[in-house]
Amino acid sequence: MTAPRNRAFLFMALGFTVWAVAFAVLYGVQGTGCELGWHRMPLGPLSLLRWLLILIWVAHLAALVWLFAIGRRALAATPAKAALEQFLWRASTVLSATAVVATVWIGLALLVPSICVV
Amino acid sequence: MTDTADPIRLHKQLSRVWGTPPGLGRLSAVNHTIVGRRFILTAFVFFGIGGILAMLIRTQLATPRSAFLGPEIYNQVFTMHGTVMMFLFAIPLFEGLAMYLLPKMLGARDMAFPRLSAYGYWCYLFGGSILIVALVLGLAPDSGWFMYTPLSSRTYTPGINADMWLIGITFVEISALSAAIEIIATIFKLRAPGMSLEKMPLFAWYMLVTAFMMLFGFPPLIVGSILLEIERAFDMPFFDPARGGDPLLWQHLFWLFGHPEVYIIFLPAAGVMSTILPVLARREILGYIWIVVSIVALAFLSFGLWVHHMFTVGIPHLALAFFSAASTAVAFPTAVQFFAWIGTLAAGRPQLKLPMLFLLGFFFVFAAGGLTGVMLAIVPFNWQVHDTHFVVAHLHYVLVGGFIFPMLAAAYYWLPHFTGRSPRVNLGISAFWLIFIGFNVTFLVMHATGLMGMPRRIYTYDDASGWEWLNLVSSIGSFLMAIGFALFTVDIVLQIFMGKRAARDPWNASTLEWTTAMPSPVYNFGSLPAVTSRSPLSDADGKARGLAVALARGEGYLGFVREQRMETLGVEVTTGRLEQVVQLPRSTFMPLYSAMVTAVFFVAVLLKFYLVAAMGFVAAIGMLVMWTRGWGERTDRGPLPVGRGESVPPHSEMKNAPSAWAMTLGLFANGTAYASLAFGMLFLWVVAPNWPPPVLLEPGLVATALAVAGLAAAALAAMRSIDPAVLAYASRREAWLAVIAVGHGAALAGFAMLMMAVPDPTRHAYLAATFVLLAYVALHTALGMVFAAYGSVRSRNGYVSVMRSLDLRIAAQWHRYTAVIGVITLLLVHGLPRIMGS
Amino acid sequence: MRLKATPRRRIWFVRPTIAGAAASLLAGCTGPLSALDTAGPAAASIANLWWVMLIGATVIFVFVMALLALAFLRPGIGRRTPASWWLIGGGLAFPAVVLTPLLVYALWSGERLFPTGDPAVAQVDVVARQWEWTFTYRNAAGQPLRSSNTLHIEAGRPVQLNITSADVIHGFWVPRLAGKIDAIPGHTTVLQLKADAPGRYRGVCAEFCGVAHLEMQFAIEAHAADDFTAVLGTLAQADAPDVNAPRARP
């Protein structure tokens, strides 16, 4: 049956697709939020806009960790002799982990810089 | 069927079927070897033109206040240098190399869509020629190779120069997109049986990822170019801030393409590295799976970097920080490949042969370029050196180091395969040193030139700025480099015409292309191999010869000619399991004629003969439809024997034939174009000045209802039309096809009514963007009618049955896509004014 | 075709190139438009960043070239090195160790270069057009004042520039004082800078803007406090708004 292998192949692209969505949503919300003035609305120590961005970031991170877990489980369930499946699930798992790191990496940007121009 | 033990008879039979007629008949070639070589040769000619332009620049800048070129000419020269190198040299060169190599490496007889390859080549040649004619006439584009608005809009560039760029480049982009679709379909479906994904040569992985990047990276540029041309020709204000447009929209659309573009250029060269280096190091590459992972990560990450070309446009720091972080992140997958290569060299026994010399040149130059790239990713530093010669130095380090040096290595490595000859003289070593030393002398000091404040794109400088001797050194270096390239050209020409006969497999390689004769016969392999490992040449007695002989004797698959047809094998995407026989078209002039008609369309738009352009467009669609005339089966054939005791159906009786993939992949690109349009509308709404617009649309309900009903009817009828119960009867098929056509007709009418209700698209960007979105859907419904009509004709001529449903399935994808973007467009057109009005 | 092994020539080549480049950089650093000949805190911060990155990049470059050379001079030296050392050590750990502090420092120092929004800072409206610069000084009392192609500021005090364009995109750049920012029609971009000492600091248009892009040069003149008031007194009064301001967003 090739359907599970096709699924594994598709999975390779899924991790970074989530990263790309996170990136696009964060950038889009930042731009729109600045225009709407959400950075001037305080909510505790941070502005409404910064909380929103952090929330979006955490949500995508969670999705990526879940994808990584799925990949790891699938890899463990694959027999060692099935070279193609081993390759696809191993690659998927590493790519999901990499996407997690890449999302954390761009999250560094959420800490320091000012969200909107003064 | 042939006597499988007679390779000569097999060769004659295959050559007769696969060959191209001589003389003028060569213009009808669709064979990948011929078309690939054409791409490569034409690309090198454009490289020469771009190089001459570079020498003009360096001559002008060698001394202060030089009177060699005035600013008008200089602006055309540097714009064309960048444009020619990026669009007419780099991309077509690796397209040609991929086209030539992939079928041979994958164990196939040709690419998936030979006529499309040929059509792409002619579009490239004609589009590139438009630009060169412009150069010769002194009408070349002169706003820089990235054509920023408003400088490139009609007010500030009233002449035809900018239109030459917009139209010429869009014409060439057709070839890039068609190549991308074909490369993916070939890699997915046309591999030799048994070549599952993890056994595929790394070069194929690189090209697969690159082609996907092209699918998603080129549409934003195409959309931007079309919008700018519409603005210039019809005054619809997408980029004019006074009327709700925004110059930044152009920058976003351009760089959404522009950044992936440079990785699209780098990755095939990295693929060359990963292919040649292990062979010359006499050791399998380290970390196959890590490299695959790095390539995929690099591809995705590269789409998140584009704003680093826009760090100085006044965007808030958080946004800049996202792109700065992503730009540094891309160093990781690059480093993984870099160290995989060095590790392979360290673990092997590297030979310092000529291609290796150029690979070492890559390491030196690209490492330096990558390091300055990390510097440029740092926002504060970028603010000083953006738009200076520091960036010019960086980009040449990464492009020359990352692309040119590996391609020069590829030239020497594969030239014996192209020509069957190896060199008699060693001019290549001198060429290498002249290029390497000349390059570094030119561009190393240029970093300092930029830090000393010399901006880009100035035609001269005074002697008080402190830049004189820096520029003189750069210019001297450029002459050394030019001599080096000239020597390389001489060396290649000598090898082609006077080289000695090359031994088979001169490098002791491990990939399948070395089992063909050299130069390669038009059909590649006498019979196709069954692959069981990553290094198929090691299977057969550890030498290419064993496998080559077996294949030539017809012991593999398809070691025969069936009914004078050209055939290769189709496999499952992931497992490589044998699945179908793919039948390919013979040489034909249709691609050339279609490209000529397409050229009529583009030139007519350029010269503003819009009636001729409309006729040309219709004619081009008609010609493309005519490609399939007489092509296909009138009866169900069922499984056909393919050798080695196996039988599989022909592709026309399969649901997942390569052509079905072509439509799917084409729709990915199309969808990206639509997303760019929609993004443009939303971007202008949020960011552009002078919003809200003076007038908000209230789209008519009748028109909307007609559109929705029509789209739904077409899409649902399309689903019915491919149901086996319907496919079995001609009357039922044709009835549902008629419903599709009527549905699209109704939708077309609805969208046309909505378009006519837009009061004055030149008044505000909101009106212009709405108009263009509606026009996009209207075009799709019109083409949907063409698909339905075509399906009817095919059905009536007996080419359609339950088994042979490809034509209708492919069209069904289109109808579903049109319905989806149609509904989204209606939501946008209705929803946006409502949100703005509240 | 076999070549004579020439790895020694390659190593020989690397050091003189880098030494030559370094020498040329250090010797030729001064200049009226040099970003390394700094006269203000913004440019100074960036120049320091540059020197740190240059040294780091050189060290990394030499290290990587040395590894490469070793692979040729001692064939098979890496035969027993685990692949993970290269792929994970070199490919992942090494960039992480280098890039993380660099990125964090870059974000932190970049943040300090952004305009503070302090209302006490003097403000000047800058309009770029093909091919000149116009500066409108928002005076505390009375009419705004105007000058062309020379921007007068008070030395030692920050000034906030609100920059736009009347036609195409231009770039405002005074390398000795600060990084550049684009002048974009329909938008206002903001740049804050300070000159440490009185003097004349040249500026160029840094975004290609047409045939006379080269000629669109300007200068910032920084004056001591008393001179500054006197100079302002000599400037013409701005009679009308310079360019139609983009309609404010609701």
Side-chain angles (χ1 to χ4, degrees):
Chain A
M1 276 266 65
T2 54
R5 292 160 200 162
N6 290 341
R7 201 172 134 246
F9 187 35
L10 230 75
F11 229 81
M12 277 176 68
L14 215 52
F16 265 98
T17 304
V18 173
W19 173 86
V21 168
F23 194 87
V25 172
L26 283 169
Y27 185 39
V29 169
Q30 178 266 325
T32 315
C34 281
E35 292 292 333
L36 294 174
W38 291 348
H39 58 296
R40 283 191 281 265
M41 303 182 199
L43 202 69
L46 303 172
S47 67
L48 170 66
L49 184 53
R50 202 178 285 268
W51 279 121
L52 185 56
L53 292 171
I54 292 178
L55 186 65
I56 294 172
W57 179 67
V58 169
H60 284 88
L61 260 180
L64 283 169
V65 170
W66 180 59
L67 280 178
F68 173 74
I70 294 181
R72 257 236 324 215
R73 228 189 349 254
L75 180 61
T78 312
K81 278 192 320 143
L84 174 63
E85 287 87 337
Q86 281 275 326
F87 172 81
L88 292 174
W89 283 118
R90 195 179 301 276
S92 299
T93 314
V94 174
L95 277 167
S96 299
T98 312
V100 169
V101 173
T103 309
V104 168
W105 189 260
I106 59 172
L108 285 176
L110 288 170
L111 301 174
V112 169
S114 46
I115 304 187
C116 308
V117 182
V118 83
Chain B
M1 302 278 188
T2 346
D3 173 6
T4 56
D6 187 353
I8 303 204
R9 176 135 44 118
L10 180 58
H11 165 75
K12 287 209 174 109
Q13 290 188 333
L14 285 168
S15 299
R16 213 171 14 239
V17 173
W18 286 79
T20 303
L24 273 183
R26 301 290 281 185
L27 296 175
S28 68
V30 298
N31 180 272
H32 73 108
T33 301
I34 299 178
V35 177
R37 281 201 305 239
R38 266 183 204 158
F39 263 105
I40 294 174
L41 274 164
T42 311
F44 271 117
V45 169
F46 280 116
F47 182 68
I49 297 176
I52 293 173
L53 292 167
M55 297 314 297
L56 290 174
I57 295 175
R58 281 321 319 167
T59 307
Q60 167 68 12
L61 290 180
T63 52
R65 289 284 164 211
S66 168
F68 178 56
L69 298 173
E72 292 89 353
I73 303 290
Y74 186 80
N75 295 348
Q76 292 188 22
V77 169
F78 74 70
T79 302
M80 284 301 287
H81 169 71
T83 303
V84 166
M85 288 304 196
M86 295 299 278
F87 292 107
L88 303 181
F89 161 66
I91 306 251
L93 181 66
F94 77 69
E95 275 173 20
L97 187 65
M99 218 172 259
Y100 178 90
L101 273 183
L102 279 175
K104 300 174 176 63
M105 268 191 188
L106 297 174
R109 286 224 170 103
D110 207 323
M111 298 286 285
F113 312 118
R115 289 169 299 191
L116 195 60
S117 313
Y119 178 67
Y121 172 74
W122 297 117
C123 286
Y124 159 52
L125 183 66
F126 296 154
S129 303
I130 291 178
L131 283 163
I132 302 303
V133 165
L135 184 62
V136 165
L137 294 177
L139 294 172
D142 57 358
S143 320
W145 87 274
F146 29 94
M147 295 285 287
Y148 275 3
T149 59
L151 182 62
S152 58
S153 33
R154 194 169 55 181
T155 326
Y156 302 102
T157 303
I160 204 176
N161 316 50
D163 305 294
M164 292 283 192
W165 190 96
L166 294 167
I167 288 166
I169 294 302
T170 305
F171 198 0
V172 173
E173 300 308 279
I174 295 180
S175 97
L177 276 180
S178 62
I181 292 175
E182 187 176 25
I183 288 172
I184 296 175
T186 305
I187 294 175
F188 270 173
K189 300 300 291 181
L190 258 56
R191 308 196 300 273
M195 190 185 278
S196 47
L197 283 177
E198 93 287 2
K199 298 193 186 77
M200 207 163 65
L202 273 177
F203 185 72
W205 275 108
Y206 277 94
M207 288 313 307
L208 180 67
V209 169
T210 304
F212 267 108
M213 288 173 70
M214 289 166 81
L215 272 191
F216 292 110
F218 277 88
L221 174 66
I222 295 176
V223 166
S225 303
I226 293 177
L227 291 180
L228 183 55
E229 184 55 36
I230 292 178
E231 183 179 276
R232 287 177 58 87
F234 306 115
D235 203 26
M236 287 201 233
F238 301 103
F239 310 109
D240 175 8
R243 289 178 286 166
D246 198 330
L248 288 180
L249 176 61
W250 168 266
Q251 294 194 22
H252 280 293
L253 287 175
F254 185 86
W255 290 116
L256 265 168
F257 147 79
H259 194 82
E261 151 91 338
V262 303
Y263 287 93
I264 287 169
I265 291 176
F266 170 61
L267 279 180
V272 164
M273 288 290 295
S274 290
T275 305
I276 298 181
L277 188 137
V279 170
L280 293 182
R282 293 178 279 194
R283 195 207 184 283
E284 197 181 63
I285 196 157
L286 234 57
Y288 179 97
I289 196 173
W290 280 95
I291 293 183
V292 172
V293 164
S294 298
I295 303 171
V296 175
L298 194 81
F300 276 97
L301 284 172
S302 76
F303 277 88
L305 273 60
W306 83 91
V307 173
H308 75 213
H309 300 270
M310 297 163 61
F311 273 164
T312 60
V313 303
I315 289 178
H317 197 195
L318 180 67
L320 300 181
F322 283 144
F323 290 93
S324 180
S327 302
T328 52
V330 93
F332 287 84
T334 314
V336 168
Q337 291 173 72
F338 216 78
F339 283 104
W341 294 326
I342 299 184
T344 307
L345 285 172
R349 294 171 298 133
Q351 310 167 76
L352 205 55
K353 298 193 172 170
L354 185 55
M356 178 62 83
L357 213 54
F358 284 96
L359 298 189
L360 290 175
F362 157 83
F363 278 112
F364 186 96
V365 176
F366 187 73
L371 290 166
T372 57
V374 169
M375 293 183 196
L376 282 164
I378 302 301
V379 171
F381 180 68
N382 190 287
W383 285 343
Q384 281 286 35
V385 291
H386 168 74
D387 254 332
T388 68
H389 274 69
F390 187 95
V391 177
V392 177
H394 160 73
L395 73 89
H396 283 89
Y397 264 86
V398 284
L399 285 173
V400 173
F403 183 75
I404 304 255
F405 276 101
M407 286 303 165
L408 294 177
Y412 279 111
Y413 182 78
W414 274 297
L415 205 56
H417 196 280
F418 277 86
T419 60
R421 296 171 184 265
S422 39
R424 275 184 216 277
V425 284
N426 265 335
L427 286 179
I429 305 179
S430 313
F432 167 76
W433 284 111
L434 277 169
I435 296 175
F436 181 78
I437 296 174
F439 173 83
N440 281 293
V441 169
T442 310
F443 290 104
L444 192 57
V445 297
M446 210 181 271
H447 295 98
T449 316
L451 283 163
M452 295 282 291
M454 183 170 178
R456 288 173 82 160
R457 304 169 163 181
I458 52 173
Y459 72 101
T460 190
Y461 51 92
D462 59 43
D463 37 26
S465 1
W467 306 328
E468 317 85 67
W469 71 267
L470 290 169
N471 274 290
L472 185 61
V473 167
S474 288
S475 294
I476 293 173
S478 72
F479 275 91
L480 279 177
M481 197 169 43
I483 298 173
F485 278 115
L487 208 56
F488 165 81
T489 311
V490 169
D491 195 27
I492 296 294
V493 168
L494 283 177
Q495 184 170 340
I496 292 175
F497 292 106
M498 290 174 33
K500 55 184 193 270
R501 192 130 288 290
R504 186 185 282 272
D505 191 19
W507 310 107
N508 210 2
S510 61
T511 38
L512 281 171
E513 78 272 23
W514 297 103
T515 64
T516 70
M518 300 185 338
S520 158
V522 277
Y523 53 83
N524 290 347
F525 305 97
S527 54
L528 302 178
V531 170
T532 51
S533 82
R534 228 174 251 172
S535 315
L537 299 197
S538 326
D539 293 349
D541 315 322
K543 283 270 180 288
R545 187 165 289 281
L547 182 61
V549 169
L551 294 179
R553 286 158 54 106
E555 289 169 23
Y557 294 98
L558 290 184
F560 53 84
V561 172
R562 179 185 4 246
E563 297 160 20
Q564 303 305 307
R565 285 181 197 262
M566 293 164 38
E567 294 180 338
T568 190
L569 293 176
V571 301
E572 277 170 8
V573 172
T574 51
T575 59
R577 197 172 62 83
L578 177 60
E579 191 186 59
Q580 54 187 283
V581 175
V582 175
Q583 292 162 331
L584 296 171
R586 301 183 67 160
S587 41
T588 158
F589 280 97
M590 285 302 276
L592 173 58
Y593 296 153
S594 308
M596 287 162 87
V597 174
T598 314
V600 165
F601 165 71
F602 278 106
V603 172
V605 171
L606 185 61
L607 299 176
K608 305 201 190 317
F609 299 148
Y610 292 115
L611 188 57
V612 176
M615 286 169 15
F617 183 78
V618 171
I621 300 286
M623 291 208 78
L624 291 170
V625 169
M626 294 273 283
W627 282 17
T628 57
R629 190 152 170 224
W631 179 247
E633 300 282 352
R634 283 208 164 95
T635 55
D636 291 342
R637 300 290 301 263
L640 300 169
V642 292
R644 295 174 61 107
E646 302 187 48
S647 296
V648 282
H651 75 273
S652 45
E653 294 171 22
M654 299 288 297
K655 285 186 199 164
N656 50 0
S659 43
W661 273 101
M663 176 56 88
T664 309
L665 297 167
L667 289 176
F668 280 168
N670 199 351
T672 309
Y674 180 75
S676 307
L677 263 179
F679 158 74
M681 167 78 106
L682 295 172
F683 175 84
L684 289 176
W685 172 41
V686 173
V687 171
N690 292 312
W691 280 62
V695 110
L696 291 178
L697 291 173
E698 273 166 55
L701 287 176
V702 170
T704 306
L706 199 55
V708 172
L711 289 172
L716 292 168
M719 301 303 289
R720 277 303 287 156
S721 72
I722 56 178
D723 186 305
V726 168
L727 283 169
Y729 300 96
S731 52
R732 286 189 201 173
R733 300 194 290 257
E734 282 148 40
W736 283 109
L737 286 168
V739 173
I740 297 175
V742 168
H744 277 310
L748 178 59
F751 278 98
M753 286 164 66
L754 290 171
M755 280 168 71
M756 289 193 293
V758 176
D760 178 9
T762 69
R763 199 165 156 205
H764 192 274
Y766 158 71
L767 299 168
T770 304
F771 189 81
V772 169
L773 274 167
L774 292 168
Y776 174 90
V777 184
L779 178 65
H780 279 68
T781 58
L783 289 173
M785 290 171 76
V786 172
F787 272 110
Y790 170 77
S792 281
V793 170
R794 294 287 284 181
S795 170
R796 227 165 287 168
N797 288 343
Y799 289 110
V800 181
S801 74
V802 176
M803 300 288 291
R804 289 168 286 125
S805 58
L806 255 188
D807 291 326
L808 269 51
R809 282 185 190 281
I810 289 173
Q813 295 187 42
W814 180 271
H815 303 312
R816 289 199 294 265
Y817 173 80
T818 304
V820 169
I821 48 112
V823 167
I824 296 177
T825 302
L826 289 170
L827 286 171
L828 272 174
V829 167
H830 277 269
L832 212 58
R834 241 154 261 208
I835 301 178
M836 282 197 277
S838 64
Chain C
M1 60 220 141
R2 294 282 342 214
L3 305 169
K4 277 206 327 225
T6 53
R8 281 196 197 282
R9 282 171 66 192
R10 275 208 68 255
I11 296 185
W12 167 87
F13 186 79
V14 165
R15 283 206 202 101
T17 308
I18 295 183
S24 76
L25 282 170
L26 291 167
C29 265
T30 59
L33 288 166
S34 170
L36 301 177
D37 183 6
T38 68
S45 153
I46 296 172
N48 288 337
L49 185 55
W50 153 252
W51 291 118
V52 168
M53 290 198 297
L54 176 65
I55 294 171
T58 310
V59 167
I60 295 173
F61 184 78
V62 168
F63 170 64
V64 171
M65 292 299 115
L67 282 177
L68 197 54
L70 219 58
F72 280 83
L73 291 177
R74 304 237 187 289
I77 189 174
R79 215 175 315 133
R80 266 180 286 277
T81 318
S84 57
W85 284 27
W86 296 105
L87 300 168
I88 301 184
L92 300 180
F94 176 50
V97 159
V98 170
L99 292 174
T100 313
L102 179 61
L103 184 65
V104 170
Y105 178 69
L107 295 180
W108 176 77
S109 71
E111 184 64 23
R112 291 162 71 234
L113 294 176
F114 268 81
T116 50
D118 182 352
V121 169
Q123 305 229 357
V124 179
D125 296 325
V126 180
V127 176
R129 60 165 57 79
Q130 288 175 326
W131 283 285
E132 64 166 2
W133 299 87
T134 314
F135 306 104
T136 306
Y137 304 80
R138 295 191 200 171
N139 218 345
Q143 282 273 61
L145 305 168
R146 179 166 294 165
S147 68
S148 278
N149 293 325
T150 304
L151 170 62
H152 299 279
I153 66 174
E154 191 177 338
R157 304 263 311 225
V159 62
Q160 178 179 306
L161 306 173
N162 308 304
I163 304 172
T164 187
S165 165
D167 43 36
V168 303
I169 301 182
H170 302 270
F172 182 95
W173 191 35
V174 182
R176 293 190 64 200
L177 295 183
K180 63 178 65 69
I181 200 153
D182 289 345
I184 304 174
H187 292 273
T188 302
T189 53
V190 185
L191 179 68
Q192 186 166 317
L193 54 74
K194 181 170 92 168
D196 289 329
R200 184 181 164 84
Y201 307 102
R202 276 179 59 186
V204 290
C205 173
E207 180 61 58
F208 179 63
C209 56
V211 148
H213 166 59
L214 170 66
E215 270 81 55
M216 197 169 154
Q217 305 198 15
F218 63 99
I220 289 186
E221 284 196 5
H223 308 272
D226 311 316
D227 298 334
F228 181 59
T229 336
V231 163
L232 278 187
T234 68
L235 292 181
Q237 293 208 324
D239 33 51
D242 188 5
V243 68
N244 288 325
R247 187 148 36 109
R249 307 189 58 83

